[in-house]
Amino acid sequence: MQVAVVTFDGFNELDSFIASAIINRCRKDGLEAFITTPTPVVTSMNGVEVTGQRTLDFLPEADVVLIGSGVKTRDVVADDHLISQLPLDPSRQLIGAQCSGALVLARLGLLDDMPACTDTTSRPFVEARGVTVLDTPFHAEGNIATAGGCLASQYLAAWVITRTLGEEAARSALDYVAPVGEKEATVDRALHAIRAAAAIS
């Protein structure tokens, strides 16, 4: 199972790298994440240059697609050519978005009447697209999920692992990265958010 962590120029390192790193704790179980970029090299909002592991041509074969956040997301959604290179299909793919990545899902018409999570800065722009923004870190309905706040990327990663490998695999991956002395609380908080979303949807 392959996960595309879509990472645009101006990306937020926390969004792409936390999700990718947690998911790749499950590589031995057949779940692997790849930083997926529209150009060979992208530069983060803090000037970190990263070479993509996959191009956007990889998206149709990915089982999971996560859209990262960044300071140029509004430019992304205004770029018709770039948007046309994101052929996402929620009927066969798990699709998630982090913070301003919700703008991309809205632009692609994937949110419809579904509420979403995003960060405080992106909220007015997401709402301007007619999307109801929730005051929660994570929300999912069916095969689509959104997370709000950089560190909420752990919830997206846990959701992906839970949906593909099961809750115990997610628990193990989260336990590995959780702060010492806070492991149980960190894991339980993330899994509670995912269960709550599943109960609602």
Side-chain angles (χ1 to χ4, degrees), residues 12-124:
N12 184 316
E13 301 95 331
L14 294 174
D15 296 351
S16 291
F17 295 157
I18 290 175
S20 178
I22 294 175
I23 290 168
N24 279 329
R25 295 298 310 165
C26 300
R27 190 183 289 120
K28 67 183 184 303
D29 297 315
L31 182 64
E32 188 168 10
F34 301 92
I35 300 297
T36 303
T37 57
T39 54
V41 176
V42 291
T43 303
S44 79
M45 60 191 292
N46 294 306
V48 178
E49 291 189 349
V50 172
T51 300
Q53 297 172 289
R54 295 288 188 274
T55 66
L56 295 183
D57 291 340
F58 169 61
L59 295 184
E61 66 184 271
D63 303 287
V64 182
V65 179
L66 300 181
I67 307 292
S69 180
V71 294
K72 297 183 179 180
T73 308
R74 282 184 286 160
D75 294 335
V76 170
V77 298
D79 187 331
D80 291 340
H81 176 67
L82 185 52
I83 288 294
S84 72
Q85 297 178 66
L86 306 175
L88 308 188
D89 183 358
S91 71
R92 63 176 187 80
Q93 294 173 312
L94 296 180
I95 299 170
Q98 177 73 38
C99 294
S100 65
L103 284 171
V104 177
L105 297 192
R107 174 70 167 78
L108 291 170
L110 295 177
L111 294 180
D112 291 329
D113 296 327
M114 176 180 168
C117 302
T118 191
D119 62 285
T120 304
T121 301
S122 301
R123 179 170 188 152

